[in-house]
């Protein structure tokens, strides 16, 4: 991690400044994508045999936070695109060779939501559908997306069966007009369209095996990194970027408030009420960082020892992660509300951090209802069913 951070921190000012361009382009500027590529940030969870770094997930999270504090969109793309190499490690070696064989810096976009239908055909599936929110997709050469298995008529099977499938850039279209939003504009999270693409079986994986943790066993992956639970590592990249965004907002706020005088002629340094609010917000952000990193460290130690990370522990981990996301965004609101009218100027990075934070909180991985329900019910001796087990 130290090497990745050292590489990327050399360009911190450049990445921060490029956030303005990213907002206009509605995707990461090419220079920022190149800096991420050169630093190795997207290869942190990639197998060593394919040029990856196989770092501790804590290191991935801390790097994502640092990049998010430079620019929210860059952190978001790092946190999402950076997780896909972890899952590709479970695919058929032929698929891994196709993606990484010629270039270990090949990126994959997503999303995982089963928005399309995969109809079985000889040797694989025929895939059609439209997927939204493909973050960083303009800079990716492949996509790893979710698909519901259909019958011969293209209707979803019941009970539902879900695959994660790989497609090269030549097999899908990007709707360039589908991303015009208020926050995280620079992520370029556009829609993907697939029309009858053939997906060979070796480029598919049963999504339930990834969620349940049997995929790494079947793939022969014995490394601690790949025995780590999906329900911790997938949300980790997203929430880490959100915490980084909050840390970036706090840094901008503090820099502006050091010499600020209110209209009443009071220096912010002399206003005890504002100082209390700033201190409380800073404490909430720090607590959120510490909380998710503690979960990562504990799950890593258990994985390394071969111990079972139970549903209850995973549910509590998701509760911690989700609560951390909400806590940091509330803290950003407290900061922004005390930044004065100057923070509304589009030329200030604080307003972009504020917009990006709220956009990031809208991700499905941060919806608290079912997660809080499942964690509480499990601790009370109950057994969550159906949707209450989703993504845990």
């Amino acid at each position: 991690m130290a090497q990745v951070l050292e590489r990327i921190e050399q360009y911190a000012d450049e990445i921060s400044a490029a956030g303005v361009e990213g907002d206009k382009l509605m995707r990461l500027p090419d220079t920022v994508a190149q800096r991420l590529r050169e630093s190795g940030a997207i290869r942190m969870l990639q197998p060593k045999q394919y040029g990856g770094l196989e770092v501790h997930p804590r290191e991935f999270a801390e790097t994502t936070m640092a990049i998010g504090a430079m620019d929210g969109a860059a952190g978001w793309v790092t946190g999402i695109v950076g997780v896909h190499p972890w899952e590709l490690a479970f695919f058929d070696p032929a698929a891994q060779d196709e993606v990484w064989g010629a270039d270990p810096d090949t990126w994959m976009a997503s999303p995982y939501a089963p928005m399309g239908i995969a109809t079985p055909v000889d040797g694989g599936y025929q895939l059609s559908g439209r997927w939204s929110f493909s973050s960083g997709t303009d800079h990716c050469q492949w996509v790893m997306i979710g698909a519901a298995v259909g019958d011969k008529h293209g209707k979803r099977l019941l009970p539902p069966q879900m695959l994660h499938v790989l497609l090269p850039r030549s097999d899908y279209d990007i709707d360039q007009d589908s991303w015009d939003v208020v926050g995280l504009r620079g992520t370029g999270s556009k829609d993907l369209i697939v029309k009858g693409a053939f997906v060979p079986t070796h480029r598919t994986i049963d999504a339930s095996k990834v969620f349940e943790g049997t995929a790494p066993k079947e793939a022969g992956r014995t490394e601690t990194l790949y025995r780590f639970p999906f329900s911790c590592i997938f949300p980790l990249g997203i929430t880490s970027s959100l915490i980084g965004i909050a840390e970036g907002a706090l840094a901008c706020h503090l820099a502006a408030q050091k010499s600020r005088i209110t209209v009443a002629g009071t220096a912010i340094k002399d206003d005890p009420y504002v100082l209390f609010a700033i201190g409380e917000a800073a404490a909430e952000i720090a607590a959120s960082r510490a909380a998710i990193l503690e979960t990562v460290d504990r799950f890593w130690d258990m994985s390394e020892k071969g111990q079972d990370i139970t549903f209850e522990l995973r549910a509590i981990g998701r509760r911690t992660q989700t609560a951390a996301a909400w806590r940091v965004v509330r803290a950003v609101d407290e900061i922004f509300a005390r930044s004065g009218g100057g923070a509304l100027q589009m030329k200030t990075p604080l307003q972009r951090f504020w917009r990006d934070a709220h956009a990031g909180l809208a991700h499905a991985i941060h919806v608290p209802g079912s997660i809080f329900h499942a964690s509480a019910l499990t601790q009370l001796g109950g057994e969550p069913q159906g949707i209450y087990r989703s993504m845990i």
Side-chain angles (χ1 to χ4, degrees):
M1 180 198 68
Q3 291 182 346
V4 174
L5 268 181
E6 285 173 7
R7 291 173 193 148
I8 206 72
E9 284 176 343
Q10 296 178 58
Y11 304 103
D13 291 342
E14 176 187 317
I15 293 171
S16 296
V20 176
E21 181 185 2
D23 250 29
K24 293 176 181 177
L25 293 174
M26 287 184 287
R27 63 170 174 81
L28 283 189
D30 294 343
T31 54
V32 174
Q34 187 60 28
R35 297 306 184 198
L36 295 180
R37 204 179 299 275
E38 292 169 349
S39 72
I42 307 301
R43 288 186 285 111
M44 296 187 79
L45 303 181
Q46 192 164 312
K48 290 181 178 177
Q49 71 195 90
Y50 289 103
L53 304 177
E54 285 188 29
V55 304
H56 191 301
R58 179 191 183 101
E59 298 177 0
F60 171 66
E62 290 179 326
T63 301
T64 300
M65 290 175 191
I67 297 171
M70 298 172 197
D71 174 62
W76 187 265
V77 170
T78 300
I80 289 183
V81 177
V83 168
H84 301 149
W86 178 86
E87 183 173 345
L88 185 55
F90 310 144
F91 275 72
D92 188 297
Q96 297 179 55
D97 288 339
E98 284 182 281
V99 176
W100 289 320
D103 182 6
D105 276 316
T106 298
W107 291 8
M108 293 165 284
S110 46
Y112 288 127
M115 300 177 190
I117 304 294
T119 303
V121 295
D122 287 344
Y125 300 85
Q126 188 174 52
L127 181 68
S128 294
R130 186 183 184 105
W131 288 257
S132 298
F133 310 120
S134 183
S135 297
T137 200
D138 287 298
H139 299 286
C140 296
Q141 295 76 47
W142 285 75
V143 66
M144 181 186 291
I145 51 179
V149 178
D151 60 20
K152 62 181 180 180
H153 304 294
K155 301 294 184 182
R156 294 171 185 253
L157 295 180
L158 292 175
Q161 298 176 30
M162 182 178 167
L163 300 173
H164 287 171
V165 306
L166 284 166
L167 290 174
R169 181 66 186 83
S170 57
D171 283 359
Y172 59 91
D173 295 317
I174 299 173
D175 183 348
Q176 294 292 344
D177 297 323
S178 59
W179 187 247
D180 187 5
V181 292
V182 68
L184 290 174
R185 290 170 63 84
T187 64
S189 302
K190 302 168 184 176
D191 288 9
L192 305 180
I193 302 166
V194 180
K195 299 177 180 178
F198 173 68
V199 186
T201 303
H202 74 269
R203 286 206 225 125
T204 70
I205 193 169
D206 184 336
S208 66
K209 293 181 178 181
V210 179
F211 300 153
E212 295 164 4
T214 57
K217 296 176 185 176
E218 293 188 7
R221 291 289 181 185
T222 59
E223 305 92 334
T224 301
L225 174 60
Y226 302 114
R227 289 187 281 115
F228 203 78
F230 174 86
S231 64
C232 181
I233 205 158
F234 171 62
L236 181 64
I238 299 170
T239 305
S240 294
S241 71
L242 191 55
I243 291 172
I245 289 168
E247 291 174 335
L250 178 61
C252 285
H253 175 78
L254 293 175
Q257 301 308 305
K258 286 181 179 178
S259 57
R260 180 174 163 232
I261 306 295
T262 69
V263 292
T266 304
I268 292 299
K269 292 179 180 178
D270 296 327
D271 187 328
Y273 304 106
V274 174
L275 293 181
F276 176 87
I278 295 172
E280 185 176 45
E284 290 293 274
I285 294 169
S288 297
R289 166 188 271 262
I292 69 165
L293 292 179
E294 186 278 331
T295 298
V296 169
D297 286 342
R298 183 157 41 85
F299 283 8
W300 176 271
D301 290 344
M302 293 181 68
S303 298
E304 197 165 46
K305 295 173 183 175
Q307 297 175 350
D308 180 36
I309 302 175
T310 64
F311 179 86
E312 179 178 349
L313 287 175
R314 298 197 307 272
I316 293 171
R318 284 280 278 119
R319 181 190 69 195
T320 297
Q321 164 259 323
T322 304
W326 283 80
R327 198 159 53 232
V328 296
V329 176
R330 284 194 294 265
V332 170
D333 280 344
E334 292 297 318
I335 292 167
F336 194 76
R338 290 165 176 83
S339 294
L344 299 173
Q345 297 285 343
M346 294 300 288
K347 65 183 179 182
T348 68
L350 182 56
Q351 53 77 27
R352 189 168 61 255
F353 279 122
W354 181 71
R355 290 187 287 112
D356 288 350
H358 282 275
L361 190 61
H363 193 285
I365 209 71
H366 293 141
V367 176
S370 62
I371 300 301
F372 285 13
H373 174 111
S375 63
L377 180 59
T378 304
Q379 288 189 291
L380 290 171
E383 187 68 28
Q385 300 295 330
I387 191 175
Y388 299 109
R389 301 187 73 84
S390 177
M391 291 302 296
I392 296 175

